[in-house]
Amino acid sequence: MRGWEANVRAVTPYTPGEQPKLSHVVKLNTNENPYPPSPLVAQKLKSFDPDTLRLYPDPAMSSLVQGLADRYGVDREQVFVGVGSDDVLSMAFLAFFNSGRPVLFPDITYSFYDVWAEVYGIPYEQIPLDRQFGIVKEDYRRENGGVVFPNPNAPTGAALALSEIEDILCHNRDVVVIVDEAYVDFGTASAIPLVEKYDNLLVVQTFSKSRSMAGLRVGFAVGSKKLIGYLYGVRNSVNSYTMNRFALELGACALKDEAYFRKTCQKIVNTRERVKKELAALGFVFPDSKANFIFASHPAYDAKKLFEALRQQHIFVRYFEKPRISSYLRITVGTDEQMDILLAFLKKYMKKETPDGRFS
Ligand SMILES: *Cc1c(COP(=O)(O)O)cnc(C)c1O
């Protein structure tokens, strides 16, 4: 090792899902939305004036911030926006987890949390989910430097009730509690109404999943004015122009089409519920997902082998080679047609491959 390497902030980065360059893939590996964004977005893009790109974007990000404030019934000073919710969460870790005490999050959860903790030097403790992959609210009653969890959780899809989230808040009044609602629009109650009562609650959401705009990179957070003020303080000390003109205008535009948004989310929920029944009939087991993916395991078939077999057919799902979840596949809910291709392959595979009887 060279002398200078001893002082490098060396981290093992987050590994995003694969973006295959092939055409004709059934892409169910990164929880993207299979439907296009609102047609209003396409219209807006056509009328975009490239001359405006000479100028820096609006530092107050008014179009998007006001759109979000109106949509979620809060003041604009209660809204923070960032480059996807990854940027929002990263800024929140940097701003709020500064006590030297460990930040708590589940052992099976979004695999970016421990990466941010590592890169910012924040101590953390991973709290085991129960055997059914549920978050146990009582486990968040120990001394800590903050709490963060997704609701619904990823990659399990299991959701907490609002009363359970409020219980966690009640027992954590002196630290910031972050609820990552990346998948909330697929059928879970949002904790946003609780920000009026708990000034230490930060609710984070994204346009990447339910609004079909993962490529635009727009995320946001809602919290008390005080909390949001601190978040902007940190962001503006790192980079004051994170949101480009496309993100601000197209993001605001997407918010205006509530009917399209609702219709798209409902389609995904309907497909998810149908696929749950079909997977269960094939013998798969999974937590009851409230997200746009299903985290499924088959007692008789090896998940990694199945993952590879699917990949050969250009059906991409996500496999995590990690303790407790190495027998699971995370399958994004795509269109009905995509899910039919997946299900047809699974049926064929199970007819051909003899079960390896891992659990028998
Ligand atoms: C997808 C996801 C995010 C981040 O998505 P962005 O595209 O950065 O908005 C954050 N948290 C969880 C749990 C996610 O699954």
mmCIF file of all heavy atoms in Angstrom, residues 14 30-31 82-89 109-113 116 149-155 180-183 204-209 213-215 217-220 293 330, ligand 1:
data_model
loop_
_atom_site.group_PDB
_atom_site.id
_atom_site.type_symbol
_atom_site.label_atom_id
_atom_site.label_comp_id
_atom_site.label_asym_id
_atom_site.label_seq_id
_atom_site.Cartn_x
_atom_site.Cartn_y
_atom_site.Cartn_z
ATOM 1 N N TYR A 14 -22.309 1.077 -2.802
ATOM 2 C CA TYR A 14 -23.595 0.437 -3.081
ATOM 3 C C TYR A 14 -23.532 -0.153 -4.489
ATOM 4 O O TYR A 14 -22.959 0.453 -5.395
ATOM 5 C CB TYR A 14 -24.692 1.507 -2.986
ATOM 6 C CG TYR A 14 -26.053 1.072 -3.460
ATOM 7 C CD1 TYR A 14 -26.865 0.290 -2.658
ATOM 8 C CD2 TYR A 14 -26.530 1.465 -4.714
ATOM 9 C CE1 TYR A 14 -28.129 -0.098 -3.096
ATOM 10 C CE2 TYR A 14 -27.789 1.086 -5.155
ATOM 11 C CZ TYR A 14 -28.580 0.304 -4.341
ATOM 12 O OH TYR A 14 -29.822 -0.066 -4.773
ATOM 13 N N THR A 30 -34.894 -3.794 -11.034
ATOM 14 C CA THR A 30 -34.547 -2.560 -10.304
ATOM 15 C C THR A 30 -35.771 -1.742 -9.884
ATOM 16 O O THR A 30 -35.656 -0.544 -9.595
ATOM 17 C CB THR A 30 -33.590 -1.663 -11.127
ATOM 18 O OG1 THR A 30 -34.112 -1.510 -12.437
ATOM 19 C CG2 THR A 30 -32.195 -2.263 -11.219
ATOM 20 N N ASN A 31 -36.922 -2.404 -9.841
ATOM 21 C CA ASN A 31 -38.143 -1.764 -9.336
ATOM 22 C C ASN A 31 -38.551 -0.499 -10.094
ATOM 23 O O ASN A 31 -39.184 0.400 -9.537
ATOM 24 C CB ASN A 31 -38.021 -1.461 -7.830
ATOM 25 C CG ASN A 31 -37.876 -2.725 -7.024
ATOM 26 O OD1 ASN A 31 -38.134 -3.814 -7.532
ATOM 27 N ND2 ASN A 31 -37.467 -2.597 -5.776
ATOM 28 N N GLY A 82 -34.236 16.775 -3.965
ATOM 29 C CA GLY A 82 -32.878 16.339 -4.276
ATOM 30 C C GLY A 82 -32.829 15.455 -5.514
ATOM 31 O O GLY A 82 -33.862 15.152 -6.124
ATOM 32 N N VAL A 83 -31.615 15.054 -5.848
ATOM 33 C CA VAL A 83 -31.335 14.266 -7.050
ATOM 34 C C VAL A 83 -31.680 12.795 -6.785
ATOM 35 O O VAL A 83 -30.814 11.968 -6.528
ATOM 36 C CB VAL A 83 -29.849 14.431 -7.456
ATOM 37 C CG1 VAL A 83 -29.580 13.775 -8.796
ATOM 38 C CG2 VAL A 83 -29.473 15.897 -7.498
ATOM 39 N N GLY A 84 -32.958 12.505 -6.818
ATOM 40 C CA GLY A 84 -33.435 11.182 -6.413
ATOM 41 C C GLY A 84 -33.451 11.138 -4.899
ATOM 42 O O GLY A 84 -32.841 11.982 -4.216
ATOM 43 N N SER A 85 -34.161 10.144 -4.331
ATOM 44 C CA SER A 85 -34.179 10.110 -2.868
ATOM 45 C C SER A 85 -32.839 9.642 -2.304
ATOM 46 O O SER A 85 -32.542 9.871 -1.145
ATOM 47 C CB SER A 85 -35.343 9.283 -2.338
ATOM 48 O OG SER A 85 -35.368 8.021 -2.909
ATOM 49 N N ASP A 86 -31.991 9.035 -3.151
ATOM 50 C CA ASP A 86 -30.650 8.696 -2.667
ATOM 51 C C ASP A 86 -29.900 9.953 -2.230
ATOM 52 O O ASP A 86 -29.210 9.958 -1.200
ATOM 53 C CB ASP A 86 -29.847 7.975 -3.756
ATOM 54 C CG ASP A 86 -30.300 6.534 -3.951
ATOM 55 O OD1 ASP A 86 -30.978 6.007 -3.056
ATOM 56 O OD2 ASP A 86 -29.967 5.945 -4.993
ATOM 57 N N ASP A 87 -30.018 11.017 -3.007
ATOM 58 C CA ASP A 87 -29.380 12.286 -2.651
ATOM 59 C C ASP A 87 -30.011 12.856 -1.370
ATOM 60 O O ASP A 87 -29.309 13.318 -0.467
ATOM 61 C CB ASP A 87 -29.542 13.264 -3.821
ATOM 62 C CG ASP A 87 -28.957 14.637 -3.550
ATOM 63 O OD1 ASP A 87 -27.856 14.716 -2.992
ATOM 64 O OD2 ASP A 87 -29.621 15.635 -3.917
ATOM 65 N N VAL A 88 -31.335 12.791 -1.300
ATOM 66 C CA VAL A 88 -32.040 13.322 -0.120
ATOM 67 C C VAL A 88 -31.606 12.555 1.138
ATOM 68 O O VAL A 88 -31.277 13.155 2.175
ATOM 69 C CB VAL A 88 -33.573 13.210 -0.313
ATOM 70 C CG1 VAL A 88 -34.310 13.687 0.920
ATOM 71 C CG2 VAL A 88 -34.020 13.986 -1.548
ATOM 72 N N LEU A 89 -31.586 11.225 1.035
ATOM 73 C CA LEU A 89 -31.211 10.394 2.186
ATOM 74 C C LEU A 89 -29.754 10.630 2.582
ATOM 75 O O LEU A 89 -29.424 10.738 3.767
ATOM 76 C CB LEU A 89 -31.433 8.913 1.858
ATOM 77 C CG LEU A 89 -32.899 8.464 1.798
ATOM 78 C CD1 LEU A 89 -33.048 7.160 1.025
ATOM 79 C CD2 LEU A 89 -33.474 8.307 3.207
ATOM 80 N N THR A 109 -32.545 -4.568 4.719
ATOM 81 C CA THR A 109 -33.168 -3.316 4.322
ATOM 82 C C THR A 109 -32.433 -2.752 3.117
ATOM 83 O O THR A 109 -31.600 -3.433 2.504
ATOM 84 C CB THR A 109 -33.201 -2.319 5.500
ATOM 85 O OG1 THR A 109 -34.098 -1.258 5.183
ATOM 86 C CG2 THR A 109 -31.821 -1.726 5.807
ATOM 87 N N TYR A 110 -32.741 -1.515 2.766
ATOM 88 C CA TYR A 110 -32.100 -0.863 1.633
ATOM 89 C C TYR A 110 -30.589 -0.847 1.865
ATOM 90 O O TYR A 110 -30.124 -0.327 2.884
ATOM 91 C CB TYR A 110 -32.648 0.553 1.506
ATOM 92 C CG TYR A 110 -32.228 1.281 0.252
ATOM 93 C CD1 TYR A 110 -32.132 0.619 -0.971
ATOM 94 C CD2 TYR A 110 -31.955 2.644 0.284
ATOM 95 C CE1 TYR A 110 -31.774 1.305 -2.123
ATOM 96 C CE2 TYR A 110 -31.598 3.339 -0.863
ATOM 97 C CZ TYR A 110 -31.503 2.657 -2.065
ATOM 98 O OH TYR A 110 -31.141 3.334 -3.197
ATOM 99 N N SER A 111 -29.844 -1.418 0.928
ATOM 100 C CA SER A 111 -28.415 -1.642 1.201
ATOM 101 C C SER A 111 -27.554 -0.405 0.993
ATOM 102 O O SER A 111 -26.334 -0.489 0.982
ATOM 103 C CB SER A 111 -27.893 -2.821 0.382
ATOM 104 O OG SER A 111 -28.245 -2.650 -0.978
ATOM 105 N N PHE A 112 -28.181 0.748 0.860
ATOM 106 C CA PHE A 112 -27.425 1.996 0.816
ATOM 107 C C PHE A 112 -27.201 2.567 2.227
ATOM 108 O O PHE A 112 -26.285 3.358 2.452
ATOM 109 C CB PHE A 112 -28.155 3.034 -0.043
ATOM 110 C CG PHE A 112 -27.268 3.763 -1.025
ATOM 111 C CD1 PHE A 112 -27.705 4.021 -2.325
ATOM 112 C CD2 PHE A 112 -25.987 4.203 -0.678
ATOM 113 C CE1 PHE A 112 -26.900 4.684 -3.245
ATOM 114 C CE2 PHE A 112 -25.175 4.877 -1.592
ATOM 115 C CZ PHE A 112 -25.631 5.115 -2.879
ATOM 116 N N TYR A 113 -28.038 2.180 3.210
ATOM 117 C CA TYR A 113 -27.935 2.817 4.531
ATOM 118 C C TYR A 113 -26.559 2.592 5.174
ATOM 119 O O TYR A 113 -25.945 3.513 5.691
ATOM 120 C CB TYR A 113 -29.030 2.312 5.482
ATOM 121 C CG TYR A 113 -30.451 2.612 5.044
ATOM 122 C CD1 TYR A 113 -31.511 1.842 5.542
ATOM 123 C CD2 TYR A 113 -30.749 3.646 4.167
ATOM 124 C CE1 TYR A 113 -32.826 2.100 5.157
ATOM 125 C CE2 TYR A 113 -32.056 3.900 3.777
ATOM 126 C CZ TYR A 113 -33.094 3.122 4.275
ATOM 127 O OH TYR A 113 -34.385 3.380 3.890
ATOM 128 N N TRP A 116 -23.843 4.723 3.364
ATOM 129 C CA TRP A 116 -23.776 6.132 3.797
ATOM 130 C C TRP A 116 -23.169 6.246 5.191
ATOM 131 O O TRP A 116 -22.370 7.134 5.455
ATOM 132 C CB TRP A 116 -25.166 6.791 3.779
ATOM 133 C CG TRP A 116 -25.672 7.057 2.398
ATOM 134 C CD1 TRP A 116 -24.969 7.606 1.366
ATOM 135 C CD2 TRP A 116 -26.985 6.791 1.887
ATOM 136 N NE1 TRP A 116 -25.763 7.692 0.249
ATOM 137 C CE2 TRP A 116 -26.995 7.207 0.533
ATOM 138 C CE3 TRP A 116 -28.143 6.240 2.434
ATOM 139 C CZ2 TRP A 116 -28.128 7.097 -0.271
ATOM 140 C CZ3 TRP A 116 -29.265 6.136 1.638
ATOM 141 C CH2 TRP A 116 -29.265 6.566 0.291
ATOM 142 N N PHE A 149 -35.689 3.691 8.364
ATOM 143 C CA PHE A 149 -36.199 2.444 7.772
ATOM 144 C C PHE A 149 -37.125 2.806 6.617
ATOM 145 O O PHE A 149 -37.728 3.865 6.624
ATOM 146 C CB PHE A 149 -36.938 1.578 8.819
ATOM 147 C CG PHE A 149 -38.068 2.289 9.499
ATOM 148 C CD1 PHE A 149 -39.355 2.282 8.960
ATOM 149 C CD2 PHE A 149 -37.855 2.999 10.683
ATOM 150 C CE1 PHE A 149 -40.397 2.959 9.588
ATOM 151 C CE2 PHE A 149 -38.895 3.682 11.314
ATOM 152 C CZ PHE A 149 -40.164 3.657 10.763
ATOM 153 N N PRO A 150 -37.214 1.890 5.630
ATOM 154 C CA PRO A 150 -38.177 2.123 4.562
ATOM 155 C C PRO A 150 -39.543 1.589 4.981
ATOM 156 O O PRO A 150 -39.623 0.603 5.698
ATOM 157 C CB PRO A 150 -37.645 1.291 3.393
ATOM 158 C CG PRO A 150 -36.328 0.705 3.843
ATOM 159 C CD PRO A 150 -36.367 0.700 5.336
ATOM 160 N N ASN A 151 -40.586 2.239 4.534
ATOM 161 C CA ASN A 151 -41.941 1.714 4.720
ATOM 162 C C ASN A 151 -42.742 1.905 3.441
ATOM 163 O O ASN A 151 -43.012 3.035 3.079
ATOM 164 C CB ASN A 151 -42.656 2.397 5.884
ATOM 165 C CG ASN A 151 -43.903 1.629 6.272
ATOM 166 O OD1 ASN A 151 -43.874 0.414 6.425
ATOM 167 N ND2 ASN A 151 -45.024 2.325 6.387
ATOM 168 N N PRO A 152 -43.130 0.799 2.767
ATOM 169 C CA PRO A 152 -42.771 -0.590 3.028
ATOM 170 C C PRO A 152 -41.258 -0.800 2.985
ATOM 171 O O PRO A 152 -40.566 -0.067 2.305
ATOM 172 C CB PRO A 152 -43.440 -1.370 1.906
ATOM 173 C CG PRO A 152 -44.268 -0.415 1.121
ATOM 174 C CD PRO A 152 -43.941 0.952 1.539
ATOM 175 N N ASN A 153 -40.814 -1.862 3.699
ATOM 176 C CA ASN A 153 -39.387 -2.162 3.716
ATOM 177 C C ASN A 153 -38.953 -2.730 2.360
ATOM 178 O O ASN A 153 -39.742 -3.308 1.631
ATOM 179 C CB ASN A 153 -39.090 -3.170 4.836
ATOM 180 C CG ASN A 153 -37.605 -3.270 5.170
ATOM 181 O OD1 ASN A 153 -36.782 -2.469 4.690
ATOM 182 N ND2 ASN A 153 -37.238 -4.239 5.988
ATOM 183 N N ALA A 154 -37.704 -2.519 2.036
ATOM 184 C CA ALA A 154 -37.090 -3.112 0.852
ATOM 185 C C ALA A 154 -35.909 -3.951 1.334
ATOM 186 O O ALA A 154 -35.219 -3.527 2.252
ATOM 187 C CB ALA A 154 -36.590 -2.012 -0.080
ATOM 188 N N PRO A 155 -35.662 -5.119 0.789
ATOM 189 C CA PRO A 155 -36.364 -5.735 -0.344
ATOM 190 C C PRO A 155 -37.516 -6.663 0.059
ATOM 191 O O PRO A 155 -37.966 -7.451 -0.762
ATOM 192 C CB PRO A 155 -35.248 -6.560 -0.988
ATOM 193 C CG PRO A 155 -34.427 -7.038 0.176
ATOM 194 C CD PRO A 155 -34.491 -5.935 1.191
ATOM 195 N N ASP A 180 -38.348 6.163 4.924
ATOM 196 C CA ASP A 180 -38.052 6.158 3.491
ATOM 197 C C ASP A 180 -39.244 5.533 2.764
ATOM 198 O O ASP A 180 -39.416 4.315 2.762
ATOM 199 C CB ASP A 180 -36.753 5.345 3.306
ATOM 200 C CG ASP A 180 -36.344 5.178 1.848
ATOM 201 O OD1 ASP A 180 -37.089 5.611 0.951
ATOM 202 O OD2 ASP A 180 -35.258 4.601 1.626
ATOM 203 N N GLU A 181 -40.055 6.389 2.160
ATOM 204 C CA GLU A 181 -41.302 5.920 1.541
ATOM 205 C C GLU A 181 -41.189 5.746 0.022
ATOM 206 O O GLU A 181 -42.093 6.131 -0.725
ATOM 207 C CB GLU A 181 -42.441 6.880 1.896
ATOM 208 C CG GLU A 181 -42.737 6.886 3.394
ATOM 209 C CD GLU A 181 -44.005 7.640 3.782
ATOM 210 O OE1 GLU A 181 -44.430 8.558 3.031
ATOM 211 O OE2 GLU A 181 -44.585 7.317 4.845
ATOM 212 N N ALA A 182 -40.109 5.123 -0.419
ATOM 213 C CA ALA A 182 -39.893 4.932 -1.860
ATOM 214 C C ALA A 182 -41.061 4.187 -2.528
ATOM 215 O O ALA A 182 -41.346 4.402 -3.702
ATOM 216 C CB ALA A 182 -38.582 4.192 -2.105
ATOM 217 N N TYR A 183 -41.733 3.318 -1.753
ATOM 218 C CA TYR A 183 -42.791 2.458 -2.341
ATOM 219 C C TYR A 183 -44.172 2.718 -1.754
ATOM 220 O O TYR A 183 -45.087 1.923 -1.929
ATOM 221 C CB TYR A 183 -42.409 0.982 -2.133
ATOM 222 C CG TYR A 183 -41.071 0.652 -2.744
ATOM 223 C CD1 TYR A 183 -39.926 0.554 -1.959
ATOM 224 C CD2 TYR A 183 -40.939 0.497 -4.119
ATOM 225 C CE1 TYR A 183 -38.683 0.292 -2.528
ATOM 226 C CE2 TYR A 183 -39.711 0.232 -4.700
ATOM 227 C CZ TYR A 183 -38.585 0.132 -3.899
ATOM 228 O OH TYR A 183 -37.370 -0.123 -4.462
ATOM 229 N N VAL A 204 -39.268 10.666 3.411
ATOM 230 C CA VAL A 204 -38.575 10.783 2.127
ATOM 231 C C VAL A 204 -39.332 9.996 1.060
ATOM 232 O O VAL A 204 -39.740 8.858 1.300
ATOM 233 C CB VAL A 204 -37.126 10.251 2.255
ATOM 234 C CG1 VAL A 204 -36.394 10.334 0.923
ATOM 235 C CG2 VAL A 204 -36.361 11.026 3.330
ATOM 236 N N GLN A 205 -39.556 10.619 -0.085
ATOM 237 C CA GLN A 205 -40.205 9.918 -1.205
ATOM 238 C C GLN A 205 -39.442 10.179 -2.503
ATOM 239 O O GLN A 205 -38.515 10.978 -2.525
ATOM 240 C CB GLN A 205 -41.672 10.369 -1.352
ATOM 241 C CG GLN A 205 -42.561 9.906 -0.195
ATOM 242 C CD GLN A 205 -44.049 10.071 -0.499
ATOM 243 O OE1 GLN A 205 -44.451 10.299 -1.639
ATOM 244 N NE2 GLN A 205 -44.873 9.945 0.545
ATOM 245 N N THR A 206 -39.854 9.485 -3.562
ATOM 246 C CA THR A 206 -39.135 9.583 -4.835
ATOM 247 C C THR A 206 -40.082 9.555 -6.029
ATOM 248 O O THR A 206 -41.186 9.020 -5.932
ATOM 249 C CB THR A 206 -38.132 8.414 -4.963
ATOM 250 O OG1 THR A 206 -37.501 8.476 -6.243
ATOM 251 C CG2 THR A 206 -38.800 7.050 -4.827
ATOM 252 N N PHE A 207 -39.645 10.142 -7.138
ATOM 253 C CA PHE A 207 -40.385 10.056 -8.403
ATOM 254 C C PHE A 207 -39.956 8.822 -9.207
ATOM 255 O O PHE A 207 -40.450 8.577 -10.283
ATOM 256 C CB PHE A 207 -40.123 11.314 -9.263
ATOM 257 C CG PHE A 207 -40.887 12.537 -8.834
ATOM 258 C CD1 PHE A 207 -40.987 12.902 -7.496
ATOM 259 C CD2 PHE A 207 -41.512 13.351 -9.776
ATOM 260 C CE1 PHE A 207 -41.688 14.034 -7.106
ATOM 261 C CE2 PHE A 207 -42.216 14.486 -9.399
ATOM 262 C CZ PHE A 207 -42.300 14.831 -8.062
ATOM 263 N N SER A 208 -39.007 8.048 -8.673
ATOM 264 C CA SER A 208 -38.401 6.964 -9.456
ATOM 265 C C SER A 208 -39.307 5.765 -9.652
ATOM 266 O O SER A 208 -39.209 5.071 -10.654
ATOM 267 C CB SER A 208 -37.113 6.481 -8.784
ATOM 268 O OG SER A 208 -36.153 7.498 -8.767
ATOM 269 N N LYS A 209 -40.171 5.469 -8.685
ATOM 270 C CA LYS A 209 -40.965 4.261 -8.789
ATOM 271 C C LYS A 209 -42.404 4.572 -9.196
ATOM 272 O O LYS A 209 -42.790 4.294 -10.315
ATOM 273 C CB LYS A 209 -40.917 3.490 -7.466
ATOM 274 C CG LYS A 209 -39.658 2.647 -7.290
ATOM 275 C CD LYS A 209 -38.454 3.398 -6.778
ATOM 276 C CE LYS A 209 -37.212 2.547 -6.677
ATOM 277 N NZ LYS A 209 -36.439 2.832 -5.472
ATOM 278 N N MET A 213 -40.195 7.899 -13.163
ATOM 279 C CA MET A 213 -39.156 8.828 -13.603
ATOM 280 C C MET A 213 -37.803 8.567 -12.948
ATOM 281 O O MET A 213 -37.096 9.503 -12.566
ATOM 282 C CB MET A 213 -39.618 10.261 -13.315
ATOM 283 C CG MET A 213 -40.867 10.636 -14.089
ATOM 284 S SD MET A 213 -41.494 12.238 -13.615
ATOM 285 C CE MET A 213 -40.994 13.165 -15.044
ATOM 286 N N ALA A 214 -37.392 7.301 -12.912
ATOM 287 C CA ALA A 214 -36.092 6.966 -12.307
ATOM 288 C C ALA A 214 -34.946 7.664 -13.043
ATOM 289 O O ALA A 214 -33.944 8.045 -12.441
ATOM 290 C CB ALA A 214 -35.884 5.456 -12.311
ATOM 291 N N GLY A 215 -35.124 7.858 -14.347
ATOM 292 C CA GLY A 215 -34.065 8.477 -15.149
ATOM 293 C C GLY A 215 -33.946 9.970 -14.955
ATOM 294 O O GLY A 215 -32.943 10.577 -15.349
ATOM 295 N N ARG A 217 -34.172 11.569 -11.929
ATOM 296 C CA ARG A 217 -33.535 11.768 -10.639
ATOM 297 C C ARG A 217 -34.216 12.884 -9.840
ATOM 298 O O ARG A 217 -33.688 14.004 -9.731
ATOM 299 C CB ARG A 217 -32.023 12.041 -10.769
ATOM 300 C CG ARG A 217 -31.246 11.090 -11.664
ATOM 301 C CD ARG A 217 -31.413 9.636 -11.286
ATOM 302 N NE ARG A 217 -30.978 9.351 -9.927
ATOM 303 C CZ ARG A 217 -31.710 8.665 -9.058
ATOM 304 N NH1 ARG A 217 -32.901 8.177 -9.387
ATOM 305 N NH2 ARG A 217 -31.258 8.436 -7.858
ATOM 306 N N VAL A 218 -35.380 12.593 -9.324
ATOM 307 C CA VAL A 218 -36.072 13.534 -8.439
ATOM 308 C C VAL A 218 -36.544 12.797 -7.195
ATOM 309 O O VAL A 218 -37.230 11.777 -7.277
ATOM 310 C CB VAL A 218 -37.293 14.199 -9.131
ATOM 311 C CG1 VAL A 218 -38.041 15.096 -8.147
ATOM 312 C CG2 VAL A 218 -36.857 15.017 -10.338
ATOM 313 N N GLY A 219 -36.142 13.300 -6.043
ATOM 314 C CA GLY A 219 -36.636 12.796 -4.770
ATOM 315 C C GLY A 219 -36.968 13.979 -3.891
ATOM 316 O O GLY A 219 -36.584 15.112 -4.203
ATOM 317 N N PHE A 220 -37.690 13.729 -2.809
ATOM 318 C CA PHE A 220 -38.022 14.857 -1.932
ATOM 319 C C PHE A 220 -38.237 14.371 -0.509
ATOM 320 O O PHE A 220 -38.355 13.173 -0.249
ATOM 321 C CB PHE A 220 -39.257 15.607 -2.443
ATOM 322 C CG PHE A 220 -40.537 14.799 -2.465
ATOM 323 C CD1 PHE A 220 -41.472 14.922 -1.437
ATOM 324 C CD2 PHE A 220 -40.814 13.924 -3.505
ATOM 325 C CE1 PHE A 220 -42.659 14.186 -1.454
ATOM 326 C CE2 PHE A 220 -41.991 13.183 -3.531
ATOM 327 C CZ PHE A 220 -42.915 13.316 -2.504
ATOM 328 N N PHE A 293 -42.794 -4.820 -5.935
ATOM 329 C CA PHE A 293 -41.963 -6.002 -6.134
ATOM 330 C C PHE A 293 -42.435 -7.070 -5.160
ATOM 331 O O PHE A 293 -43.162 -6.783 -4.208
ATOM 332 C CB PHE A 293 -40.474 -5.674 -5.877
ATOM 333 C CG PHE A 293 -40.217 -5.069 -4.525
ATOM 334 C CD1 PHE A 293 -40.074 -5.865 -3.392
ATOM 335 C CD2 PHE A 293 -40.138 -3.687 -4.367
ATOM 336 C CE1 PHE A 293 -39.855 -5.310 -2.140
ATOM 337 C CE2 PHE A 293 -39.920 -3.122 -3.116
ATOM 338 C CZ PHE A 293 -39.781 -3.935 -1.999
ATOM 339 N N ARG A 330 -35.880 -11.011 -5.630
ATOM 340 C CA ARG A 330 -36.757 -9.839 -5.622
ATOM 341 C C ARG A 330 -37.215 -9.582 -7.046
ATOM 342 O O ARG A 330 -36.425 -9.281 -7.926
ATOM 343 C CB ARG A 330 -36.024 -8.610 -5.073
ATOM 344 C CG ARG A 330 -36.989 -7.468 -4.754
ATOM 345 C CD ARG A 330 -36.267 -6.154 -4.600
ATOM 346 N NE ARG A 330 -35.675 -5.731 -5.855
ATOM 347 C CZ ARG A 330 -34.795 -4.734 -5.972
ATOM 348 N NH1 ARG A 330 -34.389 -4.073 -4.915
ATOM 349 N NH2 ARG A 330 -34.305 -4.408 -7.155
HETATM 350 C C1 LIG B 1 -35.302 3.028 -5.041
HETATM 351 C C2 LIG B 1 -35.087 3.367 -3.613
HETATM 352 C C3 LIG B 1 -34.559 4.596 -3.195
HETATM 353 C C4 LIG B 1 -33.935 5.612 -4.079
HETATM 354 O O1 LIG B 1 -34.416 5.857 -5.252
HETATM 355 P P1 LIG B 1 -34.034 7.152 -6.061
HETATM 356 O O2 LIG B 1 -34.108 6.679 -7.462
HETATM 357 O O3 LIG B 1 -32.653 7.602 -5.667
HETATM 358 O O4 LIG B 1 -35.066 8.141 -5.711
HETATM 359 C C5 LIG B 1 -34.502 4.868 -1.849
HETATM 360 N N1 LIG B 1 -34.895 3.992 -0.928
HETATM 361 C C6 LIG B 1 -35.365 2.797 -1.277
HETATM 362 C C7 LIG B 1 -35.789 1.864 -0.208
HETATM 363 C C8 LIG B 1 -35.459 2.446 -2.615
HETATM 364 O O5 LIG B 1 -35.884 1.241 -2.959
#
